[in-house]
Amino acid sequence: MSSPSPDPTPFHPGELAVQERAGVREQIAPVGAFNIRRFLPDQHRRFFADLDLLFVGAVDPAGQPWATVLAGDPGFIASPTRTSLTVALLPEADDPVLPGLRAGAPLGLLGLMPQNRRRNRANGRIAALDAAGFTLEVTESFGNCPQYIHTRSREPAAVAGRPAAEVADRIGDEARARIAGADTFFIATNAPQGVDVSHRGGRPGFVTVTEDGAVLWPDFSGNNFFNTLGNLAVDPRAGLLFADFESGDLLQLAGTAETIWDGPELAAFRGAERLVRFTPSAVVLRRGVLPVRFAPQEASPVLVATGTWDEAAQTRAALAERDTWRPFTVARVEAESATIRSIYLTPADGGGIAPHRAGQYLPLRLTLPGGDRPLLRTYTLSDAAHPGHLRISVKREAGGAASGFLHDRLAPGDTVEAMAPRGEFVLDPESRRPVVLLSAGVGITPMIAMLNELVRDGLRSRSPREVYFIHGARDGSEQAFADHLRQLALYAPGVNLHIRFSRPRSQDVLGENYASTGRVDLDLLRGLLPFGDYDFYLCGPGGFVADLHAGLRGLNVAAERIHYEFFGPSSLPGEVPALVDAMPAEVTFAESGKTVEWTPAAGSLLDLAEASGVPIDFSCRSGRCGTCAVRVLSGEIGYAQTPEAALSDGYALACQAHPRGAISLSV
């Protein structure tokens, strides 16, 4: 018997609109067409027959969705045909779902096995209904992944009489506490042709009740069908179910919901793609309802990378203090190569870490033994955002006071000061193009962070981007993150790795710890890439970046596809316009009591201050970090190019600025 052919698209306009906004409509179209069926596969039929729990979504006569759960020994559900399910149970008389069970009414079913995290959906209409149960005519059937489900073990339960349902029009203190402690809930929504019920899971604390009584939760990356959010886009009415599997209590809410696509709360919640805000109009607490009970067993491993509302509050507080020096404790130190070591930093004040992106850098303030003033430096973060720590990877520079201190003196338990991460050298969040990460030497630090972010996001979204990671090092002793890169190349989908050594040692083995000999150049790229429409990211010494940038532009790669950062001068050759309007001018350093003449040959105001013995704090010298900002007391300044760092009115970035006539500075 042949299977019914799939529809061209099983998605309604609301689902398609949300898929479009999330940027997944094209990729998910063929997946949905062949995974959402109009019949029950045999494995689903066996699955439903083995269930202890069946979650039900129904719509009451006023059109309001409600969610509930039916529970019993395996066998209370059967599948007599490929398009039908019989359920030998009904909701109890005080269950708000019961009025929605009528012959011909739409019904959404979600089967879930807490013991092994399996779940499948079956939606349709009630074909028959009597005092013993109902029969569902299945019109839609599909499986769901188990990634946010916690395992639970079935426990014996003695169910006695129970009190009447408690009904309210708002969330009280007890309900608030139940919601705040939940790690799982279920949501029923109206679909244009029926009703749907879906599972939501997280760490305890992933749902909160706001001050005005709304329920707020994060929407994590899922199967990208967007059934629930698509339904809400068409009809905002929804029903929530919070089940206490240990006590058997059920908390059921009815109301309306909206999707939140941006804002500070979303940015602060780790792992959230969107937020959903639910405003209740009815709250029902039914105690001791479940005849079977389940004890917590194992949390979903996927949820380690997600947050809670308490953590989000800490993150927002950290963001509010992004320009404040905060103490960080050295948690651990690891050697990455003969010249690079990684330093893991955790907030010493117990607070959170400000949101940041791979590729950004961390301003540090270091107090060296015997030093008369702190050293200010910036170091690129070498890992994707992590909830508990920041990681920088520092190369030992010959004669470098800061890098020497970080390599030789800094140890676990020591404290340094840092501001929030910042910088504009980050992955384009809107692009789905393949990515080419090109680096040399310590330029690997932002690239390894970007690679980790791309792999993490690809696994979470099930839509990995093709990545070419091409790096140049002197030899195997100076190759950082070698084992990590090899593991990603073996197991992470879409990762292509090419390591090139310029001077391999005798113990370096071609084809094992490196792929070719020479420098990373355009000829290598021509041999490795088919040269389609890529996003290029470059980081390394100035000459390395300049040569590759020029070569890519020569191959007609659009300038907006080439992103770069380098160590040394702050621009590519020919990018900085001449100081055509710059004339000799007097510069007064007010606090130092010095007035000196500036000429174009003197360079920046920072160069002039150093030559004049006037101390100005600085770090990157490239206009990125803002450390060298000084207040302009009078006069005007100009820039050869606009600096990246944001500045308050009345301030100048000394490392990039020059005077336009006589000026006075606060230093």
Side-chain angles (χ1 to χ4, degrees), residues 83-85 102-105 107 124-129 134-138:
T83 57
S84 64
L85 285 173
R102 310 176 301 278
L107 210 63
R125 292 189 176 272
I126 297 176
L129 176 70
F134 62 89
T135 298
L136 183 78
E137 179 186 355
V138 176

Side-chain angles (χ1 to χ4, degrees), residues 425-623:
F425 184 59
V426 296
L427 293 166
D428 179 356
E430 303 299 326
S431 175
R432 300 304 307 166
R433 288 181 289 272
V435 177
V436 182
L437 303 176
L438 297 163
S439 58
V442 75
I444 196 173
T445 53
M447 297 310 186
I448 196 75
M450 289 182 177
L451 178 63
N452 289 346
E453 184 172 288
L454 287 164
V455 169
R456 179 200 66 190
D457 290 350
L459 291 173
R460 188 178 69 229
S461 66
R462 301 184 188 85
S463 179
R465 294 168 69 179
E466 191 81 5
V467 183
Y468 292 85
F469 191 97
I470 303 169
H471 177 69
R474 183 188 301 270
D475 56 39
S477 70
E478 295 193 7
Q479 170 60 53
F481 309 106
D483 290 342
H484 180 68
L485 287 169
R486 281 193 289 269
Q487 289 297 308
L488 290 183
L490 284 172
Y491 300 112
V495 174
N496 304 280
L497 175 66
H498 190 98
I499 302 297
R500 170 168 272 204
F501 289 166
S502 60
R503 300 179 189 175
R505 306 165 301 171
S506 59
Q507 59 265 50
D508 293 324
V509 180
L510 184 66
E512 291 189 10
N513 68 331
Y514 73 108
S516 63
T517 303
R519 298 187 181 277
V520 175
D521 54 21
L522 204 60
D523 288 338
L524 176 64
L525 300 189
R526 286 193 183 99
L528 295 176
L529 303 176
F531 272 95
D533 188 15
Y534 298 99
D535 288 332
F536 290 89
Y537 293 84
L538 288 61
C539 188
F544 165 86
V545 173
D547 289 347
L548 284 177
H549 187 279
L552 292 172
R553 292 291 290 124
L555 293 174
N556 294 319
V557 177
E560 60 269 21
R561 300 282 190 270
I562 309 173
H563 312 267
Y564 57 86
E565 183 171 72
F566 46 77
F567 311 121
S570 60
S571 60
L572 296 177
E575 267 199 336
V576 180
L579 302 178
V580 294
D581 60 344
M583 301 293 291
E586 282 191 350
V587 175
T588 298
F589 299 106
E591 292 183 10
S592 301
K594 294 183 178 182
T595 298
V596 295
E597 184 181 57
W598 177 89
T599 66
S604 68
L605 289 175
L606 177 58
D607 295 328
L608 181 69
E610 290 178 323
S612 305
V614 175
I616 294 180
D617 290 335
F618 70 90
S619 182
C620 70
R621 299 190 80 107
S622 63

Side-chain angles (χ1 to χ4, degrees), residues 183-387:
D183 63 17
T184 296
F185 73 94
F186 300 84
I187 177 170
T189 51
N190 275 326
Q193 301 301 321
V195 66
D196 180 78
V197 64
S198 181
H199 166 275
R200 293 293 184 268
R203 295 165 56 206
F206 85 110
V207 192
T208 190
V209 179
T210 63
E211 290 185 2
D212 60 355
V215 182
L216 191 65
W217 68 87
D219 186 61
F220 301 134
S221 178
N223 59 14
N224 289 331
F225 289 180
F226 291 111
N227 305 115
T228 298
L229 298 192
N231 291 344
L232 293 175
V234 175
D235 185 338
R237 290 175 293 184
L240 306 186
L241 168 68
F242 291 86
D244 187 328
F245 295 103
E246 295 175 79
S247 70
D249 295 350
L250 300 183
L251 178 64
Q252 295 163 280
L253 297 85
T256 58
E258 62 175 327
T259 304
I260 300 170
W261 290 87
D262 51 36
E265 289 181 315
L266 172 61
F269 201 107
R270 183 161 43 94
E273 305 279 341
R274 292 149 292 272
L275 301 178
V276 181
R277 177 185 172 89
F278 173 88
T279 302
S281 56
V283 179
V284 179
L285 176 59
R286 300 164 60 229
R287 302 181 189 272
V289 175
L290 290 181
V292 297
R293 307 293 164 82
F294 292 85
Q297 193 169 30
E298 182 183 11
S300 168
V302 177
L303 293 170
V304 173
T306 65
T308 68
W309 285 106
D310 285 344
E311 291 173 352
Q314 288 187 326
T315 298
R316 293 188 67 185
L319 184 59
E321 297 181 340
R322 71 181 308 274
D323 296 323
T324 300
W325 292 107
R326 293 174 58 203
F328 280 74
T329 300
V330 178
R332 70 180 192 268
V333 177
E334 295 178 351
E336 304 292 358
S337 73
T339 57
I340 297 175
R341 70 177 344 204
S342 287
I343 300 166
Y344 293 76
L345 302 171
T346 59
D349 56 13
I353 293 174
H356 56 281
R357 295 287 309 282
Q360 292 187 306
Y361 57 87
L362 185 71
L364 280 187
R365 185 161 68 179
L366 306 172
T367 301
L368 275 58
D372 58 352
R373 59 198 300 251
L375 294 180
L376 302 181
R377 295 292 186 269
T378 58
Y379 294 102
T380 302
L381 295 166
S382 60
D383 200 1
H386 187 279

Side-chain angles (χ1 to χ4, degrees), residues 58-76:
V59 180
D60 68 17
Q64 172 64 53
W66 289 88
T68 194
V69 57
L70 301 177
D73 294 327
F76 77 92

Side-chain angles (χ1 to χ4, degrees), residues 142-166:
F142 58 98
N144 280 151
C145 72
Q147 61 179 337
Y148 301 116
I149 299 174
H150 306 282
T151 58
R152 291 178 162 88
S153 59
R154 180 166 173 165
E155 302 288 331
V159 180
R162 64 178 186 85
E166 302 166 33

